[in-house]
Amino acid sequence: MEAARASAGSPLPHGGHVVARRTPAVPTDAPVALITGASSGIGAAVAARFAEGGAWRVVLNGRDRTRLDQVATATGGIAVPGDLGDRDGCRRLVESAVELGGRVDLLVAAAGIGWAGPFTDMPAAAIDEVLAVDLAAVVHLVRLVLPQMLRRDAGHLVLVGSIAGAVGVRQEAVYSAAKAALTTFADSLRYELLGSRVRISTVLPGVVQTPFFARRGALYQRSRPRPVTPGRVADAVWDAVAHDRSEAFVPGWLRFPARLNGAAPSLFRQLAARFG
């Protein structure tokens, strides 16, 4: 599949906004970033951020072929559409990325889906889908790309979690559980990577201005915390890779409720029940 190169003014879906980019030619020996969830929202913003300056070749995955092609055109990336809801989809994606780019130097696992409502109302199929996309797919993708990173003794894994995984969110029990598991998976794997030059980072955003809420079936209606832009999360991903940061909260103040929940869970739950 040929990479589609952007021209001035190419549209990029960017959390509901259109962003114009001019993408320079990328050297064929530039490192390769595999970005999931790249057809919109955080993934599309990460693709745009890493395409800037022509320092990275970006391989983009998403389920919406039309939007993914638009992002690929705007970023000079390579679109590899597909569903990550099963192991075969993950395998096909990594095989395609290696075939097209020669290797994967960076995995940004930004794909995610949600479901909002009482847990007792959540259909079994929705439980399976959230766990498959938000947790199992990430684990399988890491399993597939990590061995070649270890052989080269170089690479970076960025897992996009959520503040919901750090504190729990009412009526998002399964989504919160999946994101919490991602953080623990990263912590555990980090110990296994000691002594190597392969790095792993977690980026935990709060509310982000993306189509996520409409797709989960319930719009975000709280006045606080205010949503941040996908670009702000993309900047955190870039910073984590550039400066080898193991963890980043977006916005940064979310670190405090996460730490409070870890240090004094009973107090946090009382506060959350009162003000949440």
Side-chain angles (χ1 to χ4, degrees):
M1 185 182 300
E2 293 295 325
R5 297 297 174 189
S7 60
S10 295
L12 170 65
H14 193 265
H17 304 287
V18 176
V19 178
R21 301 282 187 187
R22 181 185 293 277
T23 306
V26 182
T28 57
D29 61 348
V32 177
L34 173 57
I35 304 167
T36 69
S39 57
S40 66
I42 293 172
V46 170
R49 184 67 177 85
F50 277 82
E52 290 177 358
W56 288 81
R57 291 177 288 161
V58 291
V59 178
L60 312 175
N61 169 260
R63 290 192 287 186
D64 188 324
R65 177 60 187 262
T66 299
R67 291 180 65 88
L68 189 68
D69 284 343
Q70 290 177 330
V71 176
T73 299
T75 61
I78 303 173
V80 184
D83 191 343
L84 300 181
D86 60 65
R87 283 183 293 173
D88 285 341
C90 296
R91 176 185 54 79
R92 288 192 295 268
L93 172 59
V94 173
E95 288 177 351
S96 296
V98 172
E99 179 182 355
L100 293 164
R103 64 187 188 274
V104 174
D105 299 283
L106 167 66
L107 170 66
V108 180
I113 60 172
W115 192 93
F119 175 68
T120 52
D121 292 345
M122 190 173 186
I127 293 173
D128 291 343
E129 186 178 19
V130 170
L131 293 176
V133 175
D134 293 359
L135 177 58
V138 179
V139 174
H140 285 302
L141 287 172
V142 171
R143 180 183 63 86
L144 291 165
V145 302
L146 183 56
Q148 46 118 5
M149 290 182 175
L150 289 172
R151 284 194 298 270
R152 297 194 319 273
D153 196 26
H156 205 124
L157 307 164
V158 179
L159 312 186
V160 179
S162 170
I163 187 62
V167 300
V169 175
R170 179 187 290 117
Q171 297 197 338
E172 293 186 58
V174 176
Y175 174 78
S176 298
K179 293 300 187 179
L182 270 191
T183 300
T184 303
F185 172 63
D187 286 341
S188 300
L189 192 57
R190 193 172 286 115
Y191 295 120
E192 296 186 30
L193 297 177
L194 289 175
S196 79
R197 291 191 295 175
V198 178
R199 301 293 182 254
I200 185 165
S201 304
T202 53
V203 175
L204 286 73
V207 184
V208 186
Q209 295 169 350
T210 73
F212 172 86
F213 293 99
R215 291 172 182 164
R216 73 174 186 171
L219 297 176
Y220 182 75
Q221 297 178 327
R222 297 180 182 177
S223 59
R224 292 182 181 278
R226 294 182 179 179
V228 300
T229 65
R232 191 166 172 184
V233 183
D235 287 341
V237 172
W238 175 271
D239 183 70
V241 174
H243 301 286
D244 188 21
R245 303 196 192 283
S246 61
E247 181 184 69
F249 289 86
V250 187
W253 65 263
L254 289 176
R255 182 182 308 273
F256 297 105
R259 295 292 182 261
L260 177 60
N261 186 42
S266 295
L267 174 59
F268 178 85
R269 285 194 288 267
Q270 291 176 18
L271 294 173
R274 180 176 179 182
F275 298 107

